[in-house]
Amino acid sequence: MFAQILAVAIFLVMFILIIVDKIERHIVTLVSAGLTLALVFGVCMHSAGAALKTLNIQQIFTLEFWYEPVMSGANSSGVNWATIVFIAGMMIMVEGMAKAGFFRWMCMAFAKAVRYQVIPLFLLFMVLSAVLSMFIASITVILFLAAVTVELAQLLRFDPIPMILAEVFCANLGGSATMCGDPPNIIIGTSLGYSFGDFILNIGVIAGVSLIATLIYFYLVYHKQLRATSVHPEELTSSTVLDPKAAIQDKRSFALSWVVFLVAVVLLITHAYTGLTVALIGTVVALLTLLTSWRHALDILKGVDYKTLLFFVGLFIVVGGLEQTGILELLAAFIGTISGGSAVAIVLIIMWVSAIASAFVDNVPFAATMVPVIKSLSVTTGADLSVLAWSLSMGTDVGGSATPIGASANVVGTSVASKEGFSIGWGRYCKVSAPATVVVLLIASICMILRYF
């Protein structure tokens, strides 16, 4: 009993400190992980086995970690090293692409394609944000999109805030569609053994329908404002128009970055058939990036967000404390009780609770906590585990869009705008994004019920 109380206390204090954001979050989770290992597993449980199972280092040295012909997700307890390796590999790829000018070129090329007309640009950048976020971390997508949006806003003389808010929302929505789009999905997919194709065929369909509704919603909200404040494209001179080619400093690196990106996409789409795990795919992509960009290899490695990787490691250990002490089983039983055993009620509870929680707290620790919970729910209530996984994915990914602090992409987008003199307060953000979040969640709820029940 004392071990359970202590595990919950450490988890709650960690969560509060992450929300307050006064101490760097990787330090918070690593200290919390150390306390879990020392106090919960050591002092209270006297169980070296529980600590070793949570650290899960032996998983890395198994064949199934790198090659798994039949995806099972069996080795999901404790630290999910497949998630860590995959995210690290994708970070390295993204750094290489950024060095080659890939993102800036793409943004400027699309802007030029629509002749710098604001409304088509507004809609196109929303779609671009969603599509890129299916394969690349939404933080990176928004970092470059927001910067280019501000630059275009200064050129075309329109308010960039509506476009940035729409891009942020679509980045979170697009990230929900694939296993590699958002960190919660990576955790869910690697822990439960679901493939890139599984996400596309289930969540991807819902995200696609929701994206259409989102485009219509943001167009209705902002089209009059954008038309009223923007300069007519004919007023631009050739000297003021930004040339996409200027973003490419090294044509060879640029071409190779395209090749690496396409290889990553192909490997992810086919990994359920090839048996290559996401850990191996992340490693291959990282090595290809470093080999093709060897001149900048050191800079690329320096650019990797190691703090985020350490954050994940610490987080998994703390959640492992809840798992090993049986707390997550109790939580699953509670959800099963309040739902009355109804599979529909369980799915809707998971989706909406996840969404509300993710609007105010980091969706990554929430998703990591809920994965073993839905596994227990599936066993105790007989609910389909995959459907529970899709509801958790939609809730955590989309719910984070509701507030400025709900997801990392939101923080990055508002920070870029603020840095350029366009402040986005809670009122202005939530007035538009919170209703959009509710609309998407309602669509997702209806789609889930119609498709799975």
Side-chain angles (χ1 to χ4, degrees):
M1 177 63 75
F2 187 67
Q4 291 180 327
I5 295 173
L6 189 56
V8 171
I10 292 172
F11 177 79
L12 291 177
V13 171
M14 179 194 75
F15 232 122
I16 292 169
L17 290 175
I18 290 174
I19 296 170
V20 173
D21 199 25
K22 295 296 183 181
I23 306 172
E24 290 191 88
R25 62 179 192 169
H26 72 286
I27 295 177
V28 172
T29 61
L30 288 175
V31 171
S32 301
L35 291 174
T36 299
L37 292 171
L39 300 181
V40 176
F41 297 147
V43 175
C44 296
M45 296 178 65
H46 304 289
S47 176
L52 290 173
K53 189 174 181 180
T54 298
L55 290 172
N56 204 20
I57 296 175
Q58 74 279 1
Q59 180 191 36
I60 302 173
F61 303 99
T62 63
L63 176 63
E64 290 76 17
F65 184 79
W66 305 100
Y67 177 73
E68 191 173 17
V70 179
M71 298 185 68
S72 64
N75 299 318
S76 60
S77 181
V79 179
N80 192 327
W81 291 107
T83 295
I84 306 296
V85 173
F86 177 68
I87 292 177
M90 297 303 284
M91 283 180 175
I92 290 173
M93 182 190 76
V94 167
E95 281 295 316
M97 293 169 71
K99 288 283 183 185
F102 178 92
F103 300 107
R104 184 171 179 77
W105 170 85
M106 179 173 286
C107 291
M108 298 313 303
F110 278 116
K112 188 174 182 179
V114 297
R115 299 181 180 180
Y116 301 94
Q117 299 178 70
V118 176
I119 297 300
L121 192 64
F122 175 65
L123 296 173
L124 185 60
F125 270 32
M126 287 175 66
V127 175
L128 182 62
S129 178
V131 173
L132 284 177
S133 295
M134 292 170 64
F135 307 99
I136 301 170
S138 56
I139 303 174
T140 303
V141 173
I142 290 302
L143 187 63
F144 287 92
L145 268 182
V148 174
T149 296
V150 170
E151 198 167 352
L152 287 170
Q154 293 169 345
L155 173 68
L156 302 176
R157 297 199 293 276
F158 67 85
D159 183 1
I161 292 179
M163 194 175 292
I164 290 174
L165 290 178
E167 289 164 358
V168 166
F169 192 92
C170 288
N172 291 326
L173 180 58
S176 70
T178 67
M179 196 184 79
C180 62
D182 269 348
N185 288 14
I186 300 173
I187 293 171
I188 294 168
T190 54
S191 298
L192 302 178
Y194 297 129
S195 69
F196 186 94
D198 292 330
F199 275 88
I200 282 287
L201 293 175
N202 291 277
I203 300 299
V205 174
I206 299 175
V209 174
S210 300
L211 179 60
I212 296 172
T214 301
L215 291 170
I216 296 171
Y217 172 85
F218 277 99
Y219 173 80
L220 293 175
V221 172
Y222 284 128
H223 73 101
K224 290 183 180 179
Q225 178 183 339
L226 290 173
R227 281 198 176 99
T229 60
S230 59
V231 66
H232 199 276
E234 276 71 16
E235 297 179 40
L236 298 173
T237 64
S238 58
S239 60
T240 60
V241 176
L242 299 171
D243 186 3
K245 294 180 181 178
I248 307 173
Q249 298 180 355
D250 185 337
K251 292 183 178 180
R252 177 183 173 277
S253 296
F254 180 77
L256 289 173
S257 70
W258 266 104
V259 172
V260 174
F261 177 66
L262 293 175
V263 167
V265 171
V266 170
L267 290 177
L268 284 168
I269 292 174
T270 61
H271 79 105
Y273 308 100
T274 61
L276 304 180
T277 66
V278 291
L280 181 57
I281 292 171
T283 303
V284 169
V285 168
L287 291 174
L288 285 176
T289 300
L290 295 174
L291 288 173
T292 55
S293 307
W294 61 271
R295 294 177 182 175
H296 307 289
L298 188 58
D299 291 333
I300 290 172
L301 290 173
K302 287 180 179 178
V304 173
D305 187 359
Y306 295 103
K307 291 180 179 180
T308 294
L309 299 177
L310 292 173
F311 164 77
F312 275 111
V313 173
L315 170 64
F316 282 128
I317 293 173
V318 175
V319 173
L322 298 178
E323 189 173 6
Q324 294 296 323
T325 55
I327 292 296
L328 298 184
E329 291 182 7
L330 295 176
L331 179 58
F334 174 72
I335 294 175
T337 300
I338 63 174
S339 67
S342 168
V344 175
I346 292 173
V347 166
L348 295 180
I349 287 172
I350 289 173
M351 182 185 296
W352 284 88
V353 169
S354 299
I356 294 169
S358 296
F360 300 99
V361 301
D362 197 312
N363 57 7
V364 173
F366 187 85
T369 306
M370 287 299 294
V371 165
V373 171
I374 64 173
K375 288 176 69 176
S376 295
L377 270 172
S378 178
V379 173
T380 56
T381 66
D384 189 327
L385 179 58
S386 64
V387 179
L388 299 182
W390 310 143
S391 64
L392 175 61
S393 174
M394 284 302 298
T396 52
D397 292 335
V398 176
S401 299
T403 67
I405 61 170
S408 299
N410 311 8
V411 177
V412 170
T414 54
S415 297
V416 171
S418 178
K419 185 178 178 181
E420 298 296 334
F422 300 95
S423 179
I424 305 176
W426 268 70
R428 185 169 185 181
Y429 185 100
C430 296
K431 183 180 179 180
V432 174
S433 296
T437 301
V438 173
V439 168
V440 171
L441 288 172
L442 287 173
I443 292 172
S445 298
I446 294 170
C447 289
M448 295 283 286
I449 293 172
L450 291 177
R451 182 168 183 181
Y452 300 112
F453 299 100

